[in-house]
Short mmCIF file of all heavy atoms in Angstrom, two decimals:
data_model
loop_
_atom_site.label_atom_id
_atom_site.label_comp_id
_atom_site.label_asym_id
_atom_site.label_seq_id
_atom_site.Cartn_x
_atom_site.Cartn_y
_atom_site.Cartn_z
N ALA A 52 -20.69 12.20 -8.83
CA ALA A 52 -21.42 11.54 -7.62
C ALA A 52 -21.01 10.16 -7.56
O ALA A 52 -20.83 9.64 -6.40
CB ALA A 52 -23.04 11.65 -8.06
N TYR A 53 -20.86 9.33 -8.70
CA TYR A 53 -20.52 7.90 -8.50
C TYR A 53 -18.98 7.90 -8.05
O TYR A 53 -18.78 6.97 -7.12
CB TYR A 53 -20.47 7.30 -9.87
CG TYR A 53 -21.79 6.81 -10.28
CD1 TYR A 53 -22.68 7.34 -11.26
CD2 TYR A 53 -22.38 5.74 -9.58
CE1 TYR A 53 -23.86 6.93 -11.60
CE2 TYR A 53 -23.68 5.24 -9.83
CZ TYR A 53 -24.36 5.84 -10.90
OH TYR A 53 -25.66 5.31 -11.21
N VAL A 54 -18.12 8.85 -8.43
CA VAL A 54 -16.73 8.84 -7.88
C VAL A 54 -16.86 9.17 -6.45
O VAL A 54 -16.11 8.41 -5.58
CB VAL A 54 -15.77 9.89 -8.66
CG1 VAL A 54 -14.52 10.14 -7.85
CG2 VAL A 54 -15.63 9.40 -10.13
N PHE A 55 -17.60 10.07 -5.93
CA PHE A 55 -17.58 10.35 -4.54
C PHE A 55 -18.21 9.10 -3.75
O PHE A 55 -17.65 8.79 -2.64
CB PHE A 55 -18.50 11.53 -4.33
CG PHE A 55 -18.92 11.87 -2.88
CD1 PHE A 55 -17.91 12.44 -2.11
CD2 PHE A 55 -20.00 11.47 -2.33
CE1 PHE A 55 -18.26 12.71 -0.71
CE2 PHE A 55 -20.36 11.70 -1.04
CZ PHE A 55 -19.45 12.43 -0.17
N LEU A 56 -19.28 8.47 -4.21
CA LEU A 56 -19.86 7.27 -3.55
C LEU A 56 -18.88 6.19 -3.51
O LEU A 56 -18.76 5.47 -2.47
CB LEU A 56 -21.07 6.83 -4.37
CG LEU A 56 -22.25 7.78 -4.24
CD1 LEU A 56 -23.51 7.29 -5.14
CD2 LEU A 56 -22.79 8.01 -2.78
N ILE A 57 -18.10 5.95 -4.54
CA ILE A 57 -17.01 4.83 -4.52
C ILE A 57 -15.88 5.25 -3.50
O ILE A 57 -15.58 4.28 -2.73
CB ILE A 57 -16.47 4.76 -5.91
CG1 ILE A 57 -17.40 4.22 -6.88
CG2 ILE A 57 -15.14 3.89 -5.87
CD1 ILE A 57 -16.93 4.19 -8.35
N ILE A 58 -15.55 6.34 -3.41
CA ILE A 58 -14.61 6.81 -2.30
C ILE A 58 -15.15 6.71 -1.00
O ILE A 58 -14.43 6.07 -0.12
CB ILE A 58 -14.11 8.26 -2.56
CG1 ILE A 58 -13.31 8.41 -3.87
CG2 ILE A 58 -13.16 8.67 -1.40
CD1 ILE A 58 -12.93 9.70 -4.34
N ALA A 59 -16.28 7.10 -0.77
CA ALA A 59 -17.07 6.92 0.45
C ALA A 59 -17.12 5.52 0.93
O ALA A 59 -16.99 5.13 2.09
CB ALA A 59 -18.26 7.82 0.47
N SER A 60 -17.51 4.67 -0.07
CA SER A 60 -17.91 3.24 0.19
C SER A 60 -16.39 2.59 0.57
O SER A 60 -16.40 1.73 1.51
CB SER A 60 -18.36 2.55 -1.08
OG SER A 60 -19.58 3.19 -1.41
N PHE A 61 -15.37 3.10 -0.04
CA PHE A 61 -14.01 2.45 0.27
C PHE A 61 -13.68 2.79 1.82
O PHE A 61 -13.26 1.91 2.46
CB PHE A 61 -12.88 2.99 -0.66
CG PHE A 61 -11.59 2.72 -0.25
CD1 PHE A 61 -11.07 1.39 -0.59
CD2 PHE A 61 -10.75 3.50 0.38
CE1 PHE A 61 -9.82 1.10 -0.12
CE2 PHE A 61 -9.42 3.28 0.86
CZ PHE A 61 -9.04 1.98 0.48
N PHE A 62 -13.87 4.10 2.11
CA PHE A 62 -13.43 4.41 3.55
C PHE A 62 -14.50 3.73 4.62
O PHE A 62 -14.10 3.43 5.68
CB PHE A 62 -13.58 5.91 3.81
CG PHE A 62 -12.49 6.68 3.07
CD1 PHE A 62 -12.46 7.42 1.93
CD2 PHE A 62 -11.25 6.60 3.87
CE1 PHE A 62 -11.35 8.06 1.54
CE2 PHE A 62 -9.97 7.18 3.34
CZ PHE A 62 -10.19 7.89 2.13
N SER A 63 -15.74 3.41 4.02
CA SER A 63 -16.64 2.70 5.11
C SER A 63 -16.28 1.20 5.13
O SER A 63 -16.47 0.65 6.20
CB SER A 63 -17.97 2.79 4.49
OG SER A 63 -18.47 4.18 4.50
N VAL A 64 -15.88 0.61 3.96
CA VAL A 64 -15.63 -0.82 4.02
C VAL A 64 -14.17 -1.18 4.59
O VAL A 64 -13.95 -2.23 5.03
CB VAL A 64 -15.84 -1.41 2.67
CG1 VAL A 64 -15.48 -2.84 2.50
CG2 VAL A 64 -17.26 -1.19 2.10
N PHE A 65 -13.24 -0.20 4.45
CA PHE A 65 -11.94 -0.46 4.78
C PHE A 65 -11.72 -0.96 6.28
O PHE A 65 -10.97 -1.93 6.40
CB PHE A 65 -10.92 0.76 4.49
CG PHE A 65 -9.48 0.53 4.88
CD1 PHE A 65 -8.67 -0.22 4.19
CD2 PHE A 65 -9.11 1.14 6.12
CE1 PHE A 65 -7.37 -0.40 4.43
CE2 PHE A 65 -7.80 0.90 6.39
CZ PHE A 65 -6.82 0.19 5.79
N PRO A 66 -12.31 -0.34 7.22
CA PRO A 66 -12.18 -0.93 8.60
C PRO A 66 -12.56 -2.42 8.78
O PRO A 66 -11.95 -3.17 9.49
CB PRO A 66 -13.02 -0.03 9.50
CG PRO A 66 -13.03 1.28 8.67
CD PRO A 66 -13.06 0.87 7.20
N LEU A 67 -13.60 -2.70 7.96
CA LEU A 67 -14.17 -4.10 8.00
C LEU A 67 -12.98 -5.04 7.38
O LEU A 67 -12.74 -6.19 7.88
CB LEU A 67 -15.46 -4.28 7.44
CG LEU A 67 -16.13 -5.68 7.19
CD1 LEU A 67 -16.40 -6.15 8.58
CD2 LEU A 67 -17.37 -5.62 6.53
N PHE A 68 -12.53 -4.65 6.18
CA PHE A 68 -11.55 -5.46 5.56
C PHE A 68 -10.26 -5.51 6.45
O PHE A 68 -9.69 -6.64 6.55
CB PHE A 68 -11.20 -4.78 4.33
CG PHE A 68 -9.99 -5.35 3.55
CD1 PHE A 68 -10.09 -6.71 2.88
CD2 PHE A 68 -8.75 -4.77 3.52
CE1 PHE A 68 -9.00 -7.17 2.21
CE2 PHE A 68 -7.62 -5.18 3.07
CZ PHE A 68 -7.77 -6.53 2.42
N TRP A 69 -9.88 -4.45 7.08
CA TRP A 69 -8.64 -4.44 7.92
C TRP A 69 -8.89 -5.38 9.11
O TRP A 69 -7.95 -6.06 9.52
CB TRP A 69 -8.31 -3.05 8.38
CG TRP A 69 -7.11 -2.92 9.13
CD1 TRP A 69 -5.78 -2.96 8.82
CD2 TRP A 69 -7.12 -2.82 10.66
NE1 TRP A 69 -4.85 -2.81 9.81
CE2 TRP A 69 -5.69 -2.79 11.03
CE3 TRP A 69 -7.87 -2.72 11.72
CZ2 TRP A 69 -5.11 -2.74 12.24
CZ3 TRP A 69 -7.48 -2.53 12.99
CH2 TRP A 69 -6.18 -2.61 13.17
N MET A 70 -10.08 -5.36 9.72
CA MET A 70 -10.38 -6.28 10.78
C MET A 70 -10.26 -7.78 10.40
O MET A 70 -9.69 -8.53 11.04
CB MET A 70 -11.75 -5.98 11.23
CG MET A 70 -12.24 -6.99 12.43
SD MET A 70 -13.92 -6.69 12.90
CE MET A 70 -14.85 -7.16 11.45
N ILE A 71 -10.83 -8.18 9.38
CA ILE A 71 -10.89 -9.44 8.83
C ILE A 71 -9.39 -9.87 8.47
O ILE A 71 -9.02 -10.98 8.83
CB ILE A 71 -11.70 -9.68 7.65
CG1 ILE A 71 -13.21 -9.39 8.02
CG2 ILE A 71 -11.67 -11.04 7.07
CD1 ILE A 71 -14.17 -9.37 6.85
N SER A 72 -8.65 -9.14 7.75
CA SER A 72 -7.29 -9.37 7.37
C SER A 72 -6.37 -9.57 8.51
O SER A 72 -5.68 -10.38 8.57
CB SER A 72 -6.72 -8.45 6.38
OG SER A 72 -6.59 -7.22 6.96
N SER A 73 -6.62 -8.69 9.53
CA SER A 73 -5.90 -8.68 10.75
C SER A 73 -5.95 -10.08 11.62
O SER A 73 -5.10 -10.46 12.15
CB SER A 73 -6.01 -7.46 11.63
OG SER A 73 -5.60 -6.24 11.03
N ALA A 74 -7.27 -10.50 11.51
CA ALA A 74 -7.56 -11.73 12.13
C ALA A 74 -6.88 -12.95 11.69
O ALA A 74 -6.81 -13.90 12.21
CB ALA A 74 -9.05 -11.87 12.31
N THR A 75 -6.35 -12.76 10.44
CA THR A 75 -5.67 -13.98 9.68
C THR A 75 -4.08 -13.83 9.90
O THR A 75 -3.47 -14.54 9.20
CB THR A 75 -6.18 -14.03 8.32
OG1 THR A 75 -5.68 -13.00 7.55
CG2 THR A 75 -7.67 -14.25 8.13
N ASN A 76 -3.58 -12.70 10.51
CA ASN A 76 -2.24 -12.46 10.57
C ASN A 76 -1.68 -12.59 11.97
O ASN A 76 -2.39 -12.37 12.95
CB ASN A 76 -1.82 -11.07 9.88
CG ASN A 76 -2.08 -10.94 8.39
OD1 ASN A 76 -1.59 -11.72 7.68
ND2 ASN A 76 -2.84 -9.94 8.07
N ALA A 77 -0.42 -12.74 12.02
CA ALA A 77 0.35 -12.67 13.27
C ALA A 77 0.35 -11.41 13.92
O ALA A 77 0.23 -10.31 13.20
CB ALA A 77 1.72 -13.40 13.13
N THR A 78 0.58 -11.24 15.27
CA THR A 78 0.59 -9.87 15.93
C THR A 78 1.75 -8.87 15.28
O THR A 78 1.57 -7.79 15.17
CB THR A 78 0.78 -10.07 17.37
OG1 THR A 78 0.61 -8.79 18.02
CG2 THR A 78 2.15 -10.72 17.66
N VAL A 79 2.83 -9.55 14.79
CA VAL A 79 3.89 -8.73 14.26
C VAL A 79 3.43 -8.25 12.90
O VAL A 79 3.70 -6.98 12.68
CB VAL A 79 5.18 -9.71 14.04
CG1 VAL A 79 6.33 -8.83 13.38
CG2 VAL A 79 5.61 -10.23 15.37
N ASP A 80 2.84 -8.93 12.13
CA ASP A 80 2.25 -8.53 10.76
C ASP A 80 1.20 -7.42 10.94
O ASP A 80 1.07 -6.39 10.27
CB ASP A 80 1.76 -9.55 10.00
CG ASP A 80 2.84 -10.64 9.64
OD1 ASP A 80 3.96 -10.10 9.51
OD2 ASP A 80 2.45 -11.72 9.51
N VAL A 81 0.33 -7.50 11.98
CA VAL A 81 -0.69 -6.57 12.30
C VAL A 81 0.06 -5.21 12.86
O VAL A 81 -0.40 -4.15 12.39
CB VAL A 81 -1.58 -6.98 13.46
CG1 VAL A 81 -2.68 -6.07 13.74
CG2 VAL A 81 -2.37 -8.31 12.94
N SER A 82 0.99 -5.36 13.55
CA SER A 82 1.73 -4.28 14.09
C SER A 82 2.45 -3.36 12.96
O SER A 82 2.49 -2.13 12.89
CB SER A 82 2.73 -4.60 15.12
OG SER A 82 2.13 -5.19 16.25
N ARG A 83 2.83 -4.15 11.97
CA ARG A 83 3.48 -3.48 10.90
C ARG A 83 2.53 -2.86 9.86
O ARG A 83 2.93 -2.19 8.82
CB ARG A 83 4.31 -4.65 10.07
CG ARG A 83 5.63 -5.01 10.99
CD ARG A 83 6.34 -6.11 10.26
NE ARG A 83 7.55 -6.60 10.92
CZ ARG A 83 8.32 -7.57 10.60
NH1 ARG A 83 8.06 -8.24 9.50
NH2 ARG A 83 9.40 -7.92 11.32
N GLY A 84 1.23 -3.27 10.00
CA GLY A 84 0.26 -2.59 9.10
C GLY A 84 -0.07 -3.52 7.90
O GLY A 84 -0.47 -2.91 6.77
N LYS A 85 0.15 -4.78 8.02
CA LYS A 85 0.01 -5.66 6.77
C LYS A 85 -1.46 -5.70 6.46
O LYS A 85 -2.22 -5.96 7.27
CB LYS A 85 0.54 -7.12 7.02
CG LYS A 85 0.33 -8.01 5.91
CD LYS A 85 0.82 -9.51 6.18
CE LYS A 85 0.60 -10.51 5.18
NZ LYS A 85 1.18 -11.88 5.52
N LEU A 86 -1.97 -5.56 5.17
CA LEU A 86 -3.20 -5.45 4.77
C LEU A 86 -3.66 -6.74 3.98
O LEU A 86 -4.88 -6.90 3.86
CB LEU A 86 -3.50 -4.34 3.86
CG LEU A 86 -3.27 -2.85 4.59
CD1 LEU A 86 -3.52 -1.83 3.55
CD2 LEU A 86 -4.17 -2.79 5.79
N SER A 87 -2.83 -7.53 3.70
CA SER A 87 -3.11 -8.71 2.85
C SER A 87 -3.54 -9.92 3.91
O SER A 87 -3.27 -9.96 4.98
CB SER A 87 -2.05 -9.23 1.99
OG SER A 87 -0.82 -9.47 2.75
N PHE A 88 -4.28 -10.80 3.45
CA PHE A 88 -4.56 -12.02 4.25
C PHE A 88 -3.44 -12.96 4.46
O PHE A 88 -2.64 -13.08 3.79
CB PHE A 88 -5.73 -12.90 3.59
CG PHE A 88 -7.07 -12.12 3.55
CD1 PHE A 88 -7.45 -11.41 2.38
CD2 PHE A 88 -7.85 -11.94 4.67
CE1 PHE A 88 -8.54 -10.75 2.28
CE2 PHE A 88 -9.10 -11.25 4.59
CZ PHE A 88 -9.44 -10.59 3.36
N GLY A 89 -3.46 -13.38 5.82
CA GLY A 89 -2.35 -14.28 6.14
C GLY A 89 -2.84 -15.64 6.44
O GLY A 89 -3.93 -16.10 6.05
N SER A 90 -1.92 -16.49 7.10
CA SER A 90 -2.16 -17.89 7.32
C SER A 90 -2.19 -18.23 8.77
O SER A 90 -2.16 -19.41 9.22
CB SER A 90 -1.09 -18.81 6.61
OG SER A 90 0.03 -18.48 7.16
N TYR A 91 -2.37 -17.18 9.66
CA TYR A 91 -2.57 -17.39 11.11
C TYR A 91 -3.96 -17.50 11.61
O TYR A 91 -4.15 -17.37 12.96
CB TYR A 91 -1.65 -16.30 11.76
CG TYR A 91 -0.18 -16.46 11.66
CD1 TYR A 91 0.45 -16.07 10.52
CD2 TYR A 91 0.53 -17.15 12.55
CE1 TYR A 91 1.83 -16.22 10.40
CE2 TYR A 91 1.82 -17.24 12.52
CZ TYR A 91 2.54 -16.96 11.49
OH TYR A 91 3.83 -16.98 11.28
#
């Protein structure tokens, strides 16, 4: 049950993380699928 909840939480939080990280990257990095935070 805990493993399932962790996986479900990851898929729920991932779009939020991707939105925040993309807001800190250049458009080229966003198009390439960069997931780490940038300096833009």
Side-chain angles (χ1 to χ4, degrees):
Y53 277 110
V54 171
F55 173 78
L56 291 175
I57 291 172
I58 296 174
S60 300
F61 172 78
F62 282 106
S63 299
V64 175
F65 178 76
L67 179 63
F68 170 79
W69 183 76
M70 175 187 67
I71 297 175
S72 63
S73 298
T75 63
N76 288 311
T78 183
V79 176
D80 296 327
V81 177
S82 301
R83 292 175 179 174
K85 182 181 177 181
L86 296 178
S87 59
F88 292 97
S90 57
Y91 284 84

